[in-house]
Amino acid sequence: MSERVATVTRETGETSIECTVAIDGNGNADVDTGIGFFDHMLTAFAKHGLFDLAVDCDGDLEIDDHHTVEDVAIVLGEALDDALGDRAGIVRYADRQVPLDEAVASAVVDVSGRPRFYFDGEFSQEQIGEFTSDMARHFVESLAMHAGLTVHLEVTGENAHHEVEALFKTLARTLDDATQVDERRTDTPSTKGTL
């Protein structure tokens, strides 16, 4: 199996980003977005998905966190899509539930090449430090659109920090499962022959 690694850069009037992801990593993360809680979530995503992830983002945080979070999701999604290549041999489907104290998040993923996103839940607090809680939902939506994923997410809880962290962790575990190579399969997991 060839290395499933990709680097993507993005330069706009709102952000400057470089992102490298290795799908078959060890969970190492080197992340600097300027938003402490977002860095924590991306580090948790890498750790629990066993992805190696490097993200450096200089964004217009003097405005708010929206452009930084959205653009990192776009770049990470593009990097995942590139690293997956033709997706031959992958498991493709996976689902997980992850608790964090009172919060529970679940994810169902199809690494299909067809981007769709569905979300059910509300975050208990509007802000977590400098991170707007609803940006967690928008992050996954933007990631799905640019990585070619169908993602269904649900979250419940009483503390937004726990809810968002459970969401990032369940997404990581689900993507790790779905992107694993099935040694029994040599072709693309579709009757169409392509994803």
Side-chain angles (χ1 to χ4, degrees):
M1 181 179 67
S2 62
E3 284 192 11
R4 298 189 297 171
V5 180
T7 299
V8 174
T9 59
R10 177 181 170 95
E11 295 275 348
T12 73
E14 298 167 345
T15 59
S16 174
I17 303 171
E18 181 171 338
C19 173
T20 300
V21 65
I23 292 173
D24 306 301
N26 297 303
N28 299 319
D30 181 9
V31 176
D32 183 9
T33 67
I35 305 168
F37 182 74
F38 188 37
D39 291 353
H40 178 43
M41 292 302 94
L42 291 171
T43 300
F45 176 81
K47 175 66 73 176
H48 293 278
L50 290 170
F51 308 120
D52 288 343
L53 178 63
V55 177
D56 185 54
C57 177
D58 181 17
D60 56 1
L61 296 178
E62 70 280 3
I63 295 174
D64 65 11
D65 58 339
H66 187 104
H67 297 143
T68 292
V69 176
E70 179 180 60
D71 288 5
V72 167
I74 290 169
V75 172
L76 177 56
E78 290 173 350
L80 283 169
D81 185 47
D82 189 25
L84 283 166
D86 66 4
R87 305 177 190 217
I90 64 169
V91 172
R92 180 177 169 178
Y93 305 102
D95 65 286
R96 286 277 186 154
Q97 265 191 323
V98 170
L100 181 55
D101 295 347
E102 88 298 340
V104 177
S106 66
V108 180
V109 170
D110 179 4
V111 185
S112 62
R114 293 188 308 279
R116 300 294 294 267
F117 176 73
Y118 304 91
F119 179 77
D120 186 18
E122 295 181 7
F123 299 107
S124 296
Q125 290 82 38
E126 185 176 327
Q127 290 288 134
I128 309 164
E130 299 300 313
F131 183 88
T132 306
S133 299
D134 191 59
M135 287 307 299
R137 177 198 57 77
H138 189 54
F139 172 86
V140 181
E141 180 179 23
S142 298
L143 179 76
M145 294 302 111
H146 292 272
L149 309 173
T150 296
V151 180
H152 294 252
L153 283 182
E154 291 184 26
V155 65
T156 62
E158 299 172 0
N159 178 286
H161 184 128
H162 295 165
E163 293 156 2
V164 171
E165 188 166 343
L167 185 152
F168 271 80
K169 288 177 178 177
T170 196
L171 178 66
R173 295 298 306 127
T174 307
L175 280 175
D176 180 49
D177 291 345
T179 58
Q180 289 298 308
V181 174
D182 186 337
E183 297 298 336
R184 300 168 300 170
R185 183 183 300 282
T186 57
D187 60 348
T188 301
S190 171
T191 55
K192 292 188 292 292
T194 185
L195 287 176

